[in-house]
Amino acid sequence: MKNAPSQSTYEEYFRTSIQSYDLYKDYFEIAKLEKLNGWKENEQYEIKGSAILRAKVGYLELLADVADKLETQAKTDGSVGMTMGLGLMARGMSGENKVFRDFWAQQQEKKAIPAPLLTRQAAMTAERFENLLQWSDQIVQDNYGAIINRQLKKGDELTRIYTLSFRQTEKGWMGFNAR
């Protein structure tokens, strides 16, 4: 057996690992993978690698999709509305509501609001629409705020660094952990 995983084994596991994150799978494509370094550690082989991820959508398209998912969940799960209400109260106290309102106003001035959001806005009361958008923004910021921000545009690229762990098995190297 080889002393290190092959480039194809490394890339296959790297792609699989990245694609397991909903954000990356649904909203980013892998533009480039690069092996930065590798080393043997105890019974495993560690590889540090970088991925350049290209955004398939901008922040507002991402919000529109999250809002769709929330609306779908709310139809079958009554706790979604209650959770949203409590979250929006906390968000109001932290000042994030104002930050998002300012962002939204800027996007409206630029006429950058995607058609699906404009259609949704026309079909809902102003209060319901704002609550849904505020809660969608909160979910995105809580889950992905360390990775993306509200200025994300389609085509933007992010570089993410990972360390992948491999074990040598009877059938060759197998990836088992990505961090």
Side-chain angles (χ1 to χ4, degrees), residues 79-114:
S79 68
V80 170
M82 185 169 53
T83 302
M84 181 167 60
L86 292 172
L88 290 172
M89 274 187 355
R91 185 175 166 98
M93 288 185 264
S94 73
E96 273 302 302
N97 284 352
K98 181 181 179 340
V99 171
F100 183 77
R101 279 189 200 110
D102 292 346
F103 166 74
W104 182 258
Q106 291 169 355
Q107 299 308 304
Q108 284 180 312
E109 285 176 24
K110 295 179 190 175
K111 300 201 183 307
I113 308 298

Side-chain angles (χ1 to χ4, degrees), residues 47-91:
I47 296 177
K48 183 167 284 222
S50 75
I52 296 176
L53 306 167
R54 188 173 299 123
K56 296 179 191 177
V57 299
Y59 191 79
L60 289 173
E61 289 88 1
L62 175 59
L63 276 190
D65 195 42
V66 171
D68 286 344
K69 290 175 183 173
L70 284 172
E71 285 281 289
T72 301
Q73 284 179 329
K75 290 177 184 172
T76 59
D77 183 354
S79 68
V80 170
M82 185 169 53
T83 302
M84 181 167 60
L86 292 172
L88 290 172
M89 274 187 355
R91 185 175 166 98

Side-chain angles (χ1 to χ4, degrees), residues 108-165:
Q108 284 180 312
E109 285 176 24
K110 295 179 190 175
K111 300 201 183 307
I113 308 298
L117 281 177
L118 292 173
T119 301
R120 181 181 299 271
Q121 186 177 27
M124 301 175 97
T125 66
E127 181 182 8
R128 175 112 173 100
F129 179 73
E130 182 177 345
N131 287 344
L132 179 62
L133 270 191
Q134 288 276 1
W135 188 240
S136 298
D137 180 67
Q138 185 69 44
I139 288 170
V140 172
Q141 290 300 309
D142 285 352
N143 291 306
Y144 309 119
I147 300 167
I148 63 172
N149 63 41
R150 292 181 183 108
Q151 303 311 313
L152 179 74
K153 303 281 183 268
K154 183 177 182 178
D156 284 357
E157 292 183 346
L158 307 174
T159 301
R160 304 293 297 158
I161 305 293
Y162 294 92
T163 300
L164 307 167
S165 300

